[in-house]
Structure formats: C-alpha cells, structure tokens
Amino acid sequence: MGDPSSQQQGLGRISAIFLQTRGRLKWAAYLCSTVFVLQYLMQSAEAEPVLGTSLFRQCRPVALQKNKTEDCCLPEPEREPILFKFEERKKMLVRRPAHELANDVEYVNKYNLAYKRMKELPRDDPRGFLRQWHVHCAFCVEAFLSRYLNGTPTPYPLQLHYSWTFLPWHRMMLYYHERILGSLINDPEFTLPFWNWDNQLDAGAAQMPQMFVPYNPPNPAIDNFYLYAGAIRDQNHYPPRVMTLNFKPLEDKAGIIPTPEETRDANLCMVWNMVVNKVSAQEYLGVKYNTSADFSAVSHPNASAESGGSEILHNTAHEWVGNLNNPAFPDNEDMGVFTYSGRDPLFYSHHGNVDRLWDVWQTLPDGVTVDGTRTRKEFDDVDFLETEFTFFDENKDMVRVKVKDTLSNAKLGIMYQDMSEADSLWINHKPKASKPSFRATQLSSTPDDYPEVVANANNTIGNSPVCFKLHRRAPTKADLKGTQVKHIGELSEGVVMEKVKIPEMMYVRFDVYVDFPSANLDSDMDQSDYVGTFTHLPSGVASMESVTSQISVANEDLYRELNVRFTTGLALRRLGIDDYSTDITVTIVPRFRDNDANKTITFSNLKQEFLFRGHSGYLGFPKFR
C-alpha cells in the first residue's frame, strides 16, 4: 500500500496544485467577466435586440395620401404566446417557380381554394386574409412601437424595413402564411410558389405570373379567381410584358417599352449588382436596427437606417405591379405601397423569390474583393440573433420567433427548386466594356481636370443628373476594426451617402455611376461605371407627436432619413482605376415622377467607406427567453 507519509505528501501536492489551478481559473474568470462587462459598457445605447410584436395594445392607424389612414391593428392572442420550435420533418417541402406551375391544374385550383377559405374567415380571425395583409401593414408601416426584449417600449415606432430585420422577418411571414393556407385545405405539404423574376432564361419567368391574372385564353379547367380578384394592379404590365428591374416610370408612362435585349441585359446587371456584388452582410441584409437615435422633430426615428441590396432590388417588383403612374390610385396600391402590399396574393410569391435569393447569396463565392477569399455570412451580433418577432400560426397561437431561428431554410424544413441554370446567367454576368476611364483620358491627374461639378457643400439631388467629387484613400489596418476580416484585401470598397432625407410620401429612384460625369437618363446601366440603383416606396412616416396617438396622417414636412450605400471596388478596377489615390466623380441620375419634379432630396455627406460587416465587434448581455 506504500508509505503513509509518502501518500500524505502526494495528497498535499495534489491539493496544492488543485488550489493553485482553482485560483488561476477564478482569476481567468474574473478577467473574462471584466472584459465582457467593459465590452457591454462600451457598446452604444442603440445596441439592443429589438422586439417586434403586436402583443401590447399600443397601436395606431397608419398614414396614407390625402389625409387617409388605414387601421392595420392586429387582434390580441387568445392564449399565452408560445416559443418557436423546429419541427422534425420526414421530407423537405419544396417551393416551386410560379411560371412552371401555371398549367398545373391541381395545384392552381388548390392554391385558389386556400385563398378562398382564407378570405371567408371572420374579420377578427388572425388567420383570415384581412389580418394576414394587416401583418405587413402593421409591422412595416409603423403601427406599433419598437420594444426591448423585456417588453419595455422605446419612444419610437417599429419599422422592419431599412435594416437587418428585413429578410428574417419576411422569411417568417411567408413561413406562417404558407402554413395557414395549407391548414385551410388540409394539406400539410402545401407550399407557396415563387415569382422567379430574376430568371432571364425561361420564357414567362420574369412576367407577372399567369396564375395571378385571368387566363388568356381562358382555361375552363382552372379556377384562379381568388388569386387576382380585388387586387389593384397595373394591368399594362400583365403578360406578355416582362418586368424590367431598371423600371423607368416616365418612359413607361409615355409607352416606351425597352427591347427584349435591353430588358435582359439590364435585369442581369441589376441582379448581379444587388446580389453578387454585395459581399458583406451589411451590404446585402442592411444595417443593424437602431432602437434609439438623436433626431429632430421632423425626421424619422430610425435615423442611420440603411437598406441592403436585397431590399432595394425587391422594391422594383412592388413598383412594377402597383399603380405607380395612375392618378386614380395616389397611394400606388396595392403593391406600390407597403400599407396595401399584403392584400395582393402576388406579394407572397414575390417575397418567396426574395427569400430564395437570400439562400443563393449565402452560397456565392467572393469574386468581388481584391483578395477574392471572403466567405459570405450573416451577422453574428447578439443584437441580431436575439431580435424577436411574433406571428400567429395556423392554430391561432401567437409564436415568439428569434432571428437566430430564421437563418436556415433547411432547418425550417423548406427548400427551393433548383434554378441554378437560370441563376448562373446573373451570377456570371459581366457588364459591357465601358468607355476608357474618365480620369485616364485627362492630360494630368489633378482635381482641376474635372469638369464643373456640384460641390459637396450643396448636397442636393433635384430632377436632373448631378455630379459630385469623391476623395479616395487606401484602406488601412484601422478599417479592419469591428470586422471578422484579417486582411485589408478582403474589405469591400463603397460609396456612402449619409443621412439622405426623403419626403415620406415620395417615390424615389436614382441610378449611380462612378467616373462618368456626363451620365444621364439615357446612359446604359449595363456598363462598369454603373454601381447601383436606390429606390424608396411611399410608406408613411410617423411624427413623434403622433406615435402614441390614435391616428396619424401623411405630412409632406416629414421625411425618412437613410444612409444609401453603393459597392464600387470591382467597378473601379474594371475601369482601370487600381490606385486608391485616384479621386473619382460620382454621378446621380434621378428618375422622379412628374408630380415630384420640383422636389429635392438632401444628404449630409458623400464618402468612401471600406466594409466587411458581419460582426459589430462587441458582445452584449442579451435578455434570453
């Protein structure tokens, strides 16, 4: 058994080692806790997960044109809200493209029956069609206050566009809308179709889907009445018109229709620019949700809001289907305004494709940054992952869903039919060769070589193209702060218009070109000097005086304040501008409607920025459920 004194000495050594190790562990834990607390204290006041819910009874009608309002307030749940849980499915549910389903008699009739039954449900049933379209109206046109996760309200209205909440919230909106439709026809495997408008390969794919309009010629075997009845749309855009993603309202109003070749090239260019060219989470999903901001009495509370490429691209389908050029419909209804979008069944099919493109974006290689080695990934901020929404399910239960539950369609049991052959056209698209670089044609490289341009001090956009000078610099290690990137070559160079003030009920669209001072309404966007388009749909903004009141009306003195970002690095390299010391011009080509011709948009600053936002660089103390 050995010498007892030796055993005692051995136990003493073990005890000493244990005490020493425990002391080191306690010290390490103390250091980690200190760092964690310091990180929490250093984060800004706005860094907080947001709660988007109709659970609390603070709701107001939303504003429309001509002092009209729409009451989109949702019913109270009958039972205590439940937590979201992933289901175990024996097989994946597959969403298929609408153009391939147009002549599937069984599917279209079943889909039509589901909407018939949804529209027959009582007004106060959260599964009914009225309340289903009110879901989008309420959460995306600021009927509720945004809240912290413990339910405490912020002073600001809730708006789930213009930020990183856009894609996750709309994904779950589709998820529950689809489940409700399936339950009404006793088909748990029912799936929504997606409007494959990015598809430039298959005939009819980018047209308004046939199943959503009267069949011409009529098909007596198909009943699709409830897929179009009551929906207000621009019938000039019915098939065989192909949706143009560079939609030009004034030309469309004048009856000028682009050729099939022009439409194809422009559509491929737009999808490439807004999906492939957006390598970071912030560029594609949008900026973090701002739960608090310093703002004036006439600005919008979600200051520093910023749409990602996904949202900006999706706006065009809203414009195309809605009555943007019809004075009989001043609110551009249905699809042309967020308030009424959800009452058109085509809205859900449109968002199916938006959701599908998010899946595609996650799989794309880099091909944009200098190094070309960047992996696309969502934000990993606690504020993003712990943000929470509530939806009514097929059993009329209110379900609490966190963003971290939404990031994988596969985990939700959903997949999209493979469209890789059609997707490859825009994934591999390259713009036509542009003219020689503007700077390269000059005799010297001094700023005096530029033609007269508007100085940055007059940061105003009117109804005519306007050109600005932009100073550039090389990225430094300081630009890596707050990112997941280790190498400067993985940063994405962009141009940011800061604090763009847009009148609340104004339709806005403008194209942006770099190193092309003379760009105008006739310029070809399918060239390297084109770097993107910004669109804004009229949606109504609440003044702070009306946030907690029972009514709100449109007010031309109110505006929405946004940052607008364009990715420029690859475009500049294609133009032969490889030297960061080369300053450039940025030309903005507005495409306003006739009734907005005398309006102006202002912004505070135009600057170069290097971006790799997938992480904010801090940790936080989430209020876990």
Side-chain angles (χ1 to χ4, degrees), residues 534-549:
F534 171 77
T535 56
H536 172 266
L537 298 176
S539 55
V541 175
S543 67
M544 293 317 298
E545 290 79 7
S546 69
V547 165
T548 57
S549 72

Side-chain angles (χ1 to χ4, degrees), residues 67-319:
N67 294 331
K68 294 191 304 180
T69 61
E70 182 71 41
D71 186 348
C72 295
C73 299
L74 300 172
E76 291 292 308
E78 298 175 354
R79 297 173 286 276
E80 189 73 16
I82 61 176
L83 300 181
F84 174 82
K85 293 182 179 179
F86 291 106
E87 287 188 343
E88 291 187 12
R89 293 184 183 270
K90 294 182 179 179
K91 65 176 183 178
M92 299 286 281
L93 300 183
V94 181
R95 292 178 182 160
R96 294 177 290 168
H99 67 280
E100 292 188 11
L101 290 167
N103 294 312
D104 186 328
V105 175
E106 180 183 0
Y107 178 84
V108 177
N109 287 342
K110 181 170 60 176
Y111 188 22
N112 182 71
L113 177 61
Y115 270 119
K116 178 179 184 293
R117 291 179 176 174
M118 178 178 276
K119 292 182 178 183
E120 291 172 344
L121 290 174
R123 288 179 58 88
D124 60 351
D125 191 322
R127 303 169 303 160
F129 189 73
L130 174 72
R131 298 306 186 180
Q132 285 293 294
W133 75 259
H134 280 176
V135 168
H136 188 263
C137 170
F139 286 108
C140 299
V141 199
E142 299 155 20
F144 300 110
L145 293 175
S146 64
R147 295 176 179 273
Y148 300 108
L149 293 190
N150 63 4
T152 303
T154 74
Y156 314 126
L158 178 69
Q159 170 57 263
L160 296 179
H161 286 245
Y162 316 109
S163 76
W164 62 16
T165 59
F166 170 74
L167 284 173
W169 186 86
H170 283 84
R171 170 169 285 180
M172 298 312 292
M173 175 200 71
L174 287 180
Y175 178 82
Y176 285 108
H177 189 75
E178 183 175 71
R179 290 174 70 94
I180 291 170
L181 287 171
S183 71
L184 293 174
I185 54 175
N186 300 312
D187 183 358
E189 296 184 359
F190 172 81
T191 56
L192 287 163
F194 62 92
W195 178 14
N196 195 200
W197 40 257
D198 60 295
N199 183 340
Q200 306 303 305
L201 178 65
D202 300 328
Q207 297 174 3
M208 200 179 298
Q210 177 62 67
M211 70 170 65
F212 293 99
V213 301
Y215 279 73
N216 187 16
N219 185 336
I222 290 180
D223 183 4
N224 67 326
F225 177 78
Y226 288 95
L227 299 182
Y228 65 82
I232 302 172
R233 301 173 182 152
D234 187 341
Q235 296 188 16
N236 293 321
H237 293 162
Y238 276 14
R241 285 286 302 275
V242 175
M243 182 172 70
T244 52
L245 292 174
N246 67 330
F247 180 50
K248 302 173 182 178
L250 292 181
E251 291 187 9
D252 191 74
K253 184 177 181 180
I256 301 173
I257 301 175
T259 67
E261 292 75 19
E262 290 171 336
T263 297
R264 181 182 184 276
D265 290 345
N267 287 356
L268 292 174
C269 175
M270 278 288 289
V271 183
W272 180 88
N273 214 297
M274 294 299 176
V275 181
V276 181
N277 200 33
K278 309 298 185 186
V279 294
S280 69
Q282 183 168 328
E283 288 172 298
Y284 190 66
L285 277 74
V287 76
K288 68 181 178 180
Y289 193 96
N290 198 354
T291 53
S292 62
D294 186 17
F295 55 92
S296 68
V298 295
S299 74
H300 184 261
N302 201 9
S304 301
E306 179 180 313
S307 299
S310 174
E311 182 177 354
I312 293 172
L313 178 64
H314 114 289
N315 284 348
T316 300
H318 280 275
E319 303 162 13

Side-chain angles (χ1 to χ4, degrees), residues 16-30:
I17 293 172
F18 173 77
L19 291 173
Q20 186 179 38
T21 302
R22 186 174 66 175
R24 289 174 178 172
L25 289 172
K26 288 176 66 177
W27 177 244
Y30 170 77

Side-chain angles (χ1 to χ4, degrees), residues 583-604:
D583 293 344
I584 59 172
T585 60
V586 177
T587 304
I588 298 173
V589 181
R591 298 185 183 277
F592 299 166
R593 293 183 296 180
D594 286 337
N595 55 326
D596 293 325
N598 296 322
K599 294 182 180 179
T600 59
I601 295 172
T602 63
F603 58 96
S604 66

Side-chain angles (χ1 to χ4, degrees), residues 375-612:
T375 301
R376 299 170 194 256
K377 60 181 68 175
E378 282 79 13
F379 298 93
D380 58 8
D381 298 56
V382 168
D383 306 321
F384 177 66
L385 299 174
E386 292 297 319
T387 282
E388 186 174 302
F389 314 124
T390 59
F391 294 92
F392 284 101
D393 69 6
E394 67 275 18
N395 301 312
K396 297 196 289 186
D397 284 317
M398 178 179 279
V399 185
R400 296 167 51 194
V401 185
K402 289 187 180 289
V403 165
K404 66 185 179 184
D405 301 325
T406 74
L407 302 181
S408 168
N409 265 324
K411 291 182 68 175
L412 294 172
I414 295 166
M415 63 182 295
Y416 288 91
Q417 180 176 311
D418 179 44
M419 305 303 296
S420 56
E421 185 179 1
D423 292 344
S424 68
L425 295 183
W426 53 260
I427 291 173
N428 300 314
H429 180 71
K430 291 181 173 56
K432 301 170 187 172
S434 299
K435 61 187 182 317
S437 164
F438 168 73
R439 286 304 300 266
T441 63
Q442 305 302 302
L443 297 177
S444 65
S445 58
T446 64
D448 292 338
D449 291 328
Y450 287 108
E452 288 299 317
V453 298
V454 176
N456 279 6
N458 301 319
N459 293 337
T460 301
I461 304 169
N463 199 35
S464 302
V466 59
C467 187
F468 301 90
K469 299 176 184 177
L470 179 71
H471 173 69
R472 297 173 68 239
R473 64 169 178 84
T476 66
K477 290 185 177 179
D479 294 305
L480 299 176
K481 184 179 180 181
T483 74
Q484 295 171 312
V485 178
K486 296 181 179 180
H487 306 290
I488 289 174
E490 290 183 308
L491 292 168
S492 177
E493 182 180 2
V495 172
V496 182
M497 300 169 63
E498 296 185 309
K499 296 187 176 180
V500 183
K501 294 181 179 179
I502 301 172
E504 63 158 312
M505 289 311 216
M506 183 178 177
Y507 164 78
V508 175
R509 185 181 184 95
F510 54 78
D511 303 327
V512 177
Y513 298 81
V514 292
D515 203 53
F516 187 8
S518 59
N520 55 57
L521 291 170
D522 296 323
S523 297
D524 185 355
M525 64 184 297
D526 191 25
Q527 296 198 129
S528 294
D529 40 38
Y530 166 79
V531 293
T533 292
F534 171 77
T535 56
H536 172 266
L537 298 176
S539 55
V541 175
S543 67
M544 293 317 298
E545 290 79 7
S546 69
V547 165
T548 57
S549 72
Q550 296 302 309
I551 193 167
S552 177
V553 296
N555 185 338
E556 290 297 333
D557 293 329
L558 295 177
Y559 56 82
R560 191 175 299 282
E561 190 170 275
L562 307 168
N563 289 343
V564 180
R565 181 182 308 276
F566 301 95
T567 307
T568 59
L570 182 56
L572 293 174
R573 294 197 299 276
R574 285 176 170 173
L575 289 168
I577 303 176
D578 298 314
D579 187 350
Y580 285 110
S581 65
T582 301
D583 293 344
I584 59 172
T585 60
V586 177
T587 304
I588 298 173
V589 181
R591 298 185 183 277
F592 299 166
R593 293 183 296 180
D594 286 337
N595 55 326
D596 293 325
N598 296 322
K599 294 182 180 179
T600 59
I601 295 172
T602 63
F603 58 96
S604 66
N605 189 35
L606 182 73
K607 70 175 186 179
Q608 175 201 37
E609 186 169 295
F610 294 96
L611 193 69
F612 187 111

